[in-house]
Amino acid sequence: MKKRLLIANRSEIAIRIIRSAHKLGIVAVVFQSDREPDALYLQYADEVIPAKDAGDEKPVFLNPEKIVKLALEHGIDMIHPGYGFLSENPDFALLCENNGINFIGPSPQLIRDMGLKTVAKSMAIKAGLPLVPGSDGPVKDAAAAKTFADSIGYPVILKASAGGGGRGMRIVEKPETIERQFKSASDEALAAFGNGDMFIEKYLQNPKHLEFQIMGDKHGNVIHLGERECSLQRKHQKIVEEAPSASVTEQMRKEMGEMAVRFAKAIGYYSAGTIEFIMDEDGSYYFMEMNTRIQVEHPVSEMITGVDLVDWQIRVALGEKLTITQNDIKLNGWAIECRVNTEDPQNRFSPQTGFIDKIQFPTGDHIRIETGVQSGAVVTPYFDSMIAKIIVHGTERQDAIEKTLNALENFTMIGLKTTVPFCRTVLRHPDFVDASYTTRWVDSVFTPEMLENEEEEMIGALAATIMYASEYLQLSSDIPSYKSDRLNVWVLNKRLNY
Ligand code: ADP
Ligand code: ADP
Ligand code: MG
C-alpha cells in the first residue's frame, strides 16, 4: 500500500512538496479551500479534499481540528505542514501524533521550545552558542524593561518571545518611549500569538542575517548544508536570499556550522531546521532563533549542495537514516532567490489583489521557478502575497548576479505589480554587488525613485522592440491592442510630464 501524504498548505510550497512525494512513490493529497477554489496546486495533487471552509472563520490551513478530522476520514498517514500556517504550532503536531498521523517535522516538544525565543536562547547558551547581549528571559513589565534597557544602553529591540514572520518587534531609540512601546508591543503579541511575553536585545545597527540549514534523522545524525544570507529584508521579512554568503569565510563556516550541528544534537533535533544568526559590523555573530520547518528560501541551499531537503524531511519522518555525511556536503557555485510578491514597490509595497492577466517565467538550465500561480489566476487578500520564487544558480557570485538579472529581465507579468522591479534594482546596486548590504538597506538606501529609471529603461527597450518589429516585419496589426494602448498611454503621460 502506498503511503498517503496530506499537505496542510497551499501555493508554491504545496507543489514543491507534491514533487517530493511523487519522487518517493507517495500519494499527495491537498485541501481545496473555498477562498481559492481554482488554485494551481490543486492540479498537481493526486487527490483533492474539499475543505468547505467558506463559512469558517479561518481557512482550513489554520484549523488543526478540521485538518486532522478530514485526514482521518481520508486515510492519511503523514502530514507535511509547509511553512507559515501551522508549521510551527506544537499543539497541531501533537494532535497529529495523538491521532496516529506522522507529522513531518521535529518532535512537538522541540517545536514548542524553539517557538519561544527565550527558551530557545537558554538552550543555545547551554550548547555554548554566543547570544546578543540582552535580557535573561522575558522581562516582567514596562518598568523592568526600562531598568534593563537603561543598564545595557540604547538602542534596544523589544521582541515577542512567541513572535514570528517578522512581527512582534519594536526598536527603541531612547528611554522616554520604552514603557509605551513595551505595552503596545506586548498587547500586540498577546493578540497575534496568544502570548504577551517580551524580551530585550541590544539592537545591532547594521547587521547581517546569516542562517545555517541543518538536517537530522531520528538516529542522532545531524549535518549542516552551509549558510544562506538573508539580509535583504523589508519590515524584517526576507525578499532576496543567497547561498553561500560572501561575508562568511571558510573558517567561519566551519565554526558556525559546527555550532549549529552541536546545538541540534544537544536538543535531539531531527528533520530540516534552520539556525538563524545575526552578525555585527565587527564580524561577531550571535544565535538569534531556530526555525523548526522548511523555509521559503530552502532552494538556494538545495542548488549549491544538490541535496533535496523536502525528500529528506519525508524520509526522516519515515524513520530512514541519513545516508549523507558532513564530508559529502560540498558547496558548488552560488545561488540567488528573488521572492515575487504581489506588492507595489513604487507605493510602499502595498499589496496588490486581483487578476493576473498574464505571467511568463524565464527558463534555462540554471533557473528554477517555484510558483503557485499561472496566467488568469486571481490573487486574493486572504493569503500571503508571495506568488512565486525565481532561483538562479551561477558558477560564482558575480555569475549568479548576472544570470539572475537576466532571468528577471525575462519575467513578464501583466495585471498586478510585483517585487521583481525592486529585485532588479537591488541586484544592480553597488551595495549588493560588493555584498556590503545589511538588514538596514531597504530602509536606509532604497528609494522608489531608484525604480522609476528602471521602468523607463524597460519600457524604452520595449517601445524600440515593438517599433522595430512593426516596421521591419510589418506586424503592427498583430500586436495585441491593449499592449500598444498601454504603451501609447505611457508615452503620452511621459510627454505631458505626468
Ligand atoms: P522564512 O525564513 O522561511 O522566510 P518567514 O519568516 O518569511 O520565514 O515565514 C515564512 C512564512 O510564514 C511567511 O509567509 C510568513 O508570513 C509566515 N509566518 C511565519 N511565522 C508566522 C507567524 N508566527 N504568524 C503568521 N505568519 C507567519
Ligand atoms: P522572526 O521570528 O520574526 O523571524 P527574528 O528573531 O528571526 O524574528 O528576527 C527577524 C529579523 O529582525 C532579523 O533577521 C533581523 O533583521 C532583525 N533583528 C532581530 N534581532 C535583532 C537585533 N538584536 N538587532 C538588530 N536586528 C535584529
Ligand atoms: Mg527569524
Side-chain angles (χ1 to χ4, degrees):
M1 269 279 279
K2 277 186 163 189
K3 292 267 182 217
R4 294 168 60 77
L5 182 147
L6 172 66
I7 298 157
N9 217 303
R10 56 179 288 279
S11 196
E12 63 89 16
I13 194 66
I15 297 175
R16 168 70 186 89
I17 298 164
I18 292 170
R19 218 161 55 225
S20 279
H22 286 166
K23 220 195 291 175
L24 299 170
I26 294 173
V27 179
V29 185
V30 297
F31 285 121
Q32 178 183 42
S33 168
D34 292 329
R35 286 164 173 83
E36 47 166 12
D38 302 317
L40 181 64
Y41 71 91
L42 300 167
Q43 299 177 20
Y44 288 77
D46 300 305
E47 284 176 37
V48 175
I49 305 177
K52 301 194 177 69
D53 58 356
D56 298 353
E57 193 189 321
K58 289 175 180 170
V60 64
F61 315 112
L62 283 169
N63 191 336
E65 289 77 23
K66 189 161 193 166
I67 293 173
V68 170
K69 181 175 168 285
L70 288 169
L72 292 173
E73 285 171 16
H74 287 82
I76 295 299
D77 302 297
M78 33 193 348
I79 290 187
H80 197 305
Y83 54 70
F85 296 122
L86 299 175
S87 60
E88 293 180 285
N89 183 316
D91 297 327
F92 175 59
L94 197 59
L95 189 66
C96 291
E97 277 198 0
N98 289 343
N99 283 279
I101 300 169
N102 194 341
F103 176 87
I104 300 177
S107 69
Q109 186 55 46
L110 273 180
I111 300 176
R112 195 176 305 283
D113 290 341
M114 296 302 114
L116 289 174
K117 293 184 209 246
T118 42
V119 175
K121 287 177 80 169
S122 69
M123 290 166 90
I125 296 184
K126 284 202 196 108
L129 273 63
L131 298 192
V132 188
S135 61
D136 191 7
V139 283
K140 186 165 97 267
D141 53 24
K146 180 165 186 308
T147 310
F148 184 80
D150 287 348
S151 75
I152 62 167
Y154 294 81
V156 297
I157 182 165
L158 302 175
K159 294 169 86 167
S161 187
R167 299 186 303 143
M169 286 182 279
R170 291 283 194 294
I171 299 155
V172 187
E173 305 282 351
K174 48 185 195 294
E176 294 75 47
T177 60
I178 188 163
E179 293 186 65
R180 186 167 47 78
Q181 291 201 63
F182 180 93
K183 285 192 191 105
S184 82
S186 174
D187 288 350
E188 223 176 83
L190 186 62
F193 311 112
N195 177 332
D197 284 358
M198 302 294 298
F199 66 103
I200 302 181
E201 277 176 6
K202 183 90 193 140
Y203 180 67
L204 307 184
Q205 309 263 6
N206 241 329
K208 280 180 167 283
H209 174 117
L210 305 172
E211 56 183 39
F212 274 73
Q213 175 70 53
I214 60 145
M215 180 59 76
D217 65 20
K218 293 179 179 173
H219 309 276
N221 304 301
V222 182
I223 57 167
H224 76 83
L225 293 98
E227 78 284 359
R228 296 183 285 258
E229 167 146 8
C230 312
S231 304
L232 215 295
Q233 304 180 351
R234 184 175 170 274
K235 294 200 163 170
H236 308 299
Q237 283 176 352
K238 304 157 187 171
I239 315 186
V240 177
E241 300 101 342
E242 53 180 323
S245 164
S247 310
V248 173
T249 61
E250 202 49 58
Q251 182 56 29
M252 275 171 77
R253 181 168 303 120
K254 195 166 180 293
E255 267 173 33
M256 295 172 87
E258 278 170 7
M259 260 181 208
V261 169
R262 188 166 75 233
F263 180 57
K265 282 191 172 164
I267 64 177
Y269 196 90
Y270 52 80
S271 195
T274 298
I275 317 258
E276 296 191 336
F277 292 92
I278 189 162
M279 187 176 84
D280 209 350
E281 280 160 293
D282 67 3
S284 24
Y285 54 83
Y286 311 96
F287 169 85
M288 192 159 52
E289 67 158 343
M290 176 168 199
N291 294 327
T292 55
R293 54 171 162 88
I294 194 78
Q295 304 224 185
V296 173
E297 60 274 19
H298 76 277
V300 289
S301 300
E302 294 187 328
M303 273 189 135
I304 62 161
T305 60
V307 174
D308 189 312
L309 291 163
V310 179
D311 281 7
W312 273 113
Q313 275 191 304
I314 300 173
R315 294 171 67 173
V316 162
L318 290 169
E320 274 191 49
K321 267 190 189 158
L322 277 181
T323 52
I324 344 161
T325 64
Q326 195 62 56
N327 280 335
D328 298 328
I329 302 298
K330 303 269 182 288
L331 306 189
N332 165 32
W334 213 279
I336 297 176
E337 172 181 279
C338 296
R339 297 194 191 191
V340 183
N341 299 344
T342 45
E343 293 168 2
D344 179 5
Q346 286 280 5
N347 191 12
R348 294 167 179 233
F349 294 82
S350 63
Q352 306 275 297
T353 56
F355 277 98
I356 298 174
D357 296 326
K358 185 183 167 179
I359 187 163
Q360 193 173 305
F361 289 101
T363 55
D365 287 346
H366 49 273
I367 299 175
R368 173 169 163 186
I369 302 294
E370 298 288 346
T371 181
V373 299
Q374 61 186 342
S375 294
V378 189
V379 177
T380 71
Y382 307 118
F383 301 110
D384 197 271
S385 63
M386 195 184 80
I387 54 162
K389 308 183 295 208
I390 298 173
I391 309 114
V392 179
H393 186 261
T395 50
E396 32 75 41
R397 192 166 185 272
Q398 189 51 38
D399 184 53
I401 294 176
E402 281 162 23
K403 289 199 166 106
T404 308
L405 276 167
N406 218 306
L408 296 179
E409 296 296 341
N410 290 306
F411 169 83
T412 314
M413 180 156 141
I414 300 172
L416 300 174
K417 302 225 165 105
T418 73
T419 40
V420 167
F422 170 80
C423 293
R424 267 205 312 265
T425 303
V426 168
L427 265 74
R428 281 185 187 157
H429 197 278
D431 295 345
F432 190 86
V433 174
D434 73 8
S436 64
Y437 68 102
T438 69
T439 61
R440 300 266 308 134
W441 193 86
V442 179
D443 277 342
S444 61
V445 180
F446 174 72
T447 61
E449 288 74 48
M450 290 159 79
L451 296 164
E452 245 165 33
N453 298 334
E454 301 239 340
E455 196 169 340
E456 250 169 72
E457 249 175 58
M458 196 183 71
I459 296 189
L462 184 67
T465 310
I466 292 182
M467 262 150 61
Y468 171 81
S470 54
E471 277 170 24
Y472 192 78
L473 302 168
Q474 297 171 345
L475 283 175
S476 59
S477 59
D478 290 339
I479 297 170
S481 61
Y482 73 94
K483 249 195 192 167
S484 46
D485 281 355
R486 275 187 184 217
L487 192 69
N488 286 339
V489 169
W490 184 84
V491 172
L492 197 68
N493 281 344
K494 281 289 156 195
R495 284 212 189 116
L496 298 174
N497 257 337
Y498 275 118

